[in-house]
Amino acid sequence: MIRDRVRLGRDFNLLWAGQTVSYVGDKINLFVIPTVMILLLDASPFEVGVVGMAQWLAIPLLSMVAGVLVDRWDLRRTLIWCDLIRFGVIGILPVAWWFDFLSVPLIFASVAVVSAMTVFFNIGYIATIAAVVPSENRVKAFSRMETSRTTSEVVGPAIAGGIYQLTGVFSLIIDAATYLFSAGAIRSMKPYGGGAGRSQPMWVRFKRGFQLNWNDRVLRGTMLATLLANIGGPIFVTVMPQLAYRGLGLSAGTFGTVMSVAAVGAVAGALLTQRVSRLLGPARVMPWAIFLHSAVGLGVLAAPELPAPIVLGATLAAYGFTLVMYNVSTAAVRQVRVPNEDQAISQAAFRTVTWGIIPIAAFVGGVVVDALTEPLGSLDATTYTMVAATLIGTFFAWVPIASAHRRLKREEEAAAAAAAGDDTPEALTEEVTAK
């Protein structure tokens, strides 16, 4: 282990340490913000949905711009400023509560700014790894980052729930401090520059990214399937705290524990997906993963009848497990179809389209629950909304991803026929059609 640290270098270890701590801060933020709104400000489902939308709004608005600008700026300074701004805007919320001017609009503004800075930071730290880690060690570097992220998924909600039980809204001070720690760690790194992308026109790169995703039929299928899945998924996740608190009467501590137990599913997915993909092939995993990811959401129907924490924990564990399988398998398929020099811009375009629907979906989820609560009550309003969200992915997202799988299968058959010297009209037709 010591040898690995030396090989990856001091600068990466500083970046890794800062990110590990701030990943936990992210989970505190995601847990505490809706909890404060629901339990302290008595926010309506509509207001919770609007703030949920703000958590994702910067992704469709800024991803492409951030992808180009970060290449032109000093990477180290960019990351430090992103962390410092996040520290400031989160730190103001407990101060606002202390002086009695905390409000939903202030929370919305804070969440929107944090989301914007996170978009820039996430693109910048990926570029930073490429700048400070030798190419032969980058897989290991990304693996360590992913390990920290998935671990935070497990421990983060439980930590957040426990801290909130003890300190209430002041738990956000700990959240803010994690970004200050990250900024200090990055400040301790040696300057490593940036600005390599200043020579290329922004519009040319924008156009290239979208063309790559649309002109290739397999890439287009993965993009459309993910877009459809991201209509239902954000509704499900945004409404979940309302189901837990108002529909089922869970405490913040219990719900935090449920979320941590559920995150074990995501960790298991990360550990097992590579093995399953080797056995079945990532192209075959994709359609099954997206179908099961959506279908398991129907487990919330059992929450009122069985012990709610167990039902929600099992449902969310399966939800996270299948989501990781889908993300890993589609990423493996997509990566080999995009030239190395276009990986970043292709991913930025993909995220802009597929994540662009998330804030709208989160907003719609809040509106629907708000409209249904009076006639149906909190439990039925949240349950029916979440079930409808899961059905979107179950019946619609599967179609384009299955089409992409069939295209990949035809390409494999055509390649096998060509390798075997099969020049029959049928084989050539298959090969041309696949292209």
Side-chain angles (χ1 to χ4, degrees):
M1 179 171 279
I2 294 175
R3 291 179 181 176
D4 289 345
R5 289 177 181 172
V6 172
R7 188 158 56 244
L8 289 177
R10 172 181 176 273
D11 286 340
F12 170 78
N13 289 332
L14 286 167
L15 178 69
W16 181 32
Q19 272 297 94
T20 299
V21 172
S22 64
Y23 277 142
V24 177
D26 291 341
K27 300 305 173 289
I28 295 174
N29 184 278
L30 289 174
F31 182 89
V32 172
I33 290 295
T35 301
V36 166
M37 293 182 66
I38 294 170
L39 299 184
L40 298 185
L41 299 181
D42 196 28
S44 68
F46 173 79
E47 290 172 324
V48 175
V50 168
V51 172
M53 177 184 70
Q55 291 177 333
W56 303 99
L57 194 59
I59 295 172
L61 296 180
L62 294 178
S63 287
M64 291 298 293
V65 174
V68 175
L69 292 180
V70 167
D71 279 343
R72 301 182 177 199
W73 293 344
D74 183 286
L75 286 174
R76 181 164 160 267
R77 290 180 181 176
T78 298
L79 297 189
I80 292 171
W81 275 108
C82 287
D83 274 333
L84 291 177
I85 292 172
R86 290 189 289 185
F87 163 75
V89 298
I90 293 174
I92 199 173
L93 296 180
V95 175
W97 172 259
W98 181 259
F99 288 102
D100 199 27
F101 66 91
L102 182 65
S103 64
V104 172
L106 180 60
I107 291 177
F108 176 90
S110 174
V111 168
V113 173
V114 169
S115 175
M117 293 301 100
T118 300
V119 168
F120 279 86
F121 187 94
N122 286 345
I123 292 173
Y125 99 77
I126 292 173
T128 293
I129 292 176
V132 303
V133 178
S135 58
E136 64 270 17
N137 290 326
R138 287 176 192 163
V139 172
K140 182 174 292 184
F142 281 110
S143 176
R144 289 190 175 183
M145 287 288 190
E146 185 65 13
T147 299
S148 294
R149 189 191 66 79
T150 54
T151 301
S152 73
E153 295 279 356
V154 176
V155 303
I159 292 173
I163 293 173
Y164 183 83
Q165 291 281 76
L166 294 173
T167 63
V169 69
F170 297 102
S171 54
L172 290 172
I173 295 176
I174 298 174
D175 175 24
T178 64
Y179 294 115
L180 189 61
F181 179 89
S182 176
I186 295 169
R187 178 67 178 82
S188 300
M189 297 170 64
K190 296 177 183 177
Y192 51 87
R198 292 174 183 169
S199 61
Q200 204 164 26
M202 184 179 293
W203 176 247
V204 172
R205 299 302 290 162
F206 283 177
K207 185 177 179 181
R208 174 65 173 164
F210 287 110
Q211 284 178 334
L212 284 167
N213 282 281
W214 188 256
N215 293 340
D216 185 295
R217 294 187 179 184
V218 172
L219 298 183
R220 187 195 311 168
T222 61
M223 182 173 67
L224 292 176
T226 306
L227 174 65
L228 290 166
N230 282 350
I231 294 175
I235 295 175
F236 189 91
V237 172
T238 300
V239 174
M240 176 62 74
Q242 300 179 61
L243 171 68
Y245 294 135
R246 288 178 172 154
L248 299 171
L250 301 184
S251 68
T254 300
F255 186 49
T257 302
V258 166
M259 295 293 286
S260 287
V261 171
V264 174
V267 176
L271 296 174
L272 295 178
T273 297
Q274 186 175 1
R275 185 174 299 176
V276 174
S277 293
R278 281 200 303 265
L279 180 64
L280 302 177
R284 187 177 297 176
V285 171
M286 292 191 305
W288 281 107
I290 195 62
F291 176 81
L292 293 173
H293 170 65
S294 299
V296 297
L298 298 175
V300 297
L301 289 170
E305 308 299 329
L306 300 174
I310 295 175
V311 171
L312 294 185
T315 298
L316 291 175
Y319 201 75
F321 178 85
T322 50
L323 178 61
V324 169
M325 293 194 72
Y326 174 73
N327 287 339
V328 172
S329 60
T330 52
V333 168
R334 289 178 55 81
Q335 192 173 44
V336 298
R337 304 180 74 87
V338 177
N340 287 339
E341 64 271 16
D342 293 321
Q343 289 284 339
I345 198 65
S346 172
Q347 183 64 13
F350 178 78
R351 283 169 61 94
T352 299
V353 173
T354 60
W355 290 40
I357 197 67
I358 292 178
I360 299 173
F363 174 77
V364 169
V367 170
V368 171
V369 172
D370 198 47
L372 294 179
T373 296
E374 185 174 349
L376 299 179
S378 294
L379 178 59
D380 287 343
T382 52
T383 301
Y384 294 161
T385 301
M386 295 172 74
V387 168
T390 66
L391 294 178
I392 294 173
T394 304
F395 291 108
F396 295 105
W398 183 83
V399 175
I401 206 69
S403 176
H405 170 243
R406 289 192 296 270
R407 173 68 53 178
L408 286 165
K409 185 177 180 181
R410 285 197 294 268
E411 289 182 2
E412 290 174 359
E413 292 172 350
D422 185 355
D423 294 328
T424 62
E426 292 80 2
L428 294 175
T429 299
E430 286 286 343
E431 184 174 0
V432 171
T433 303
K435 292 181 180 178

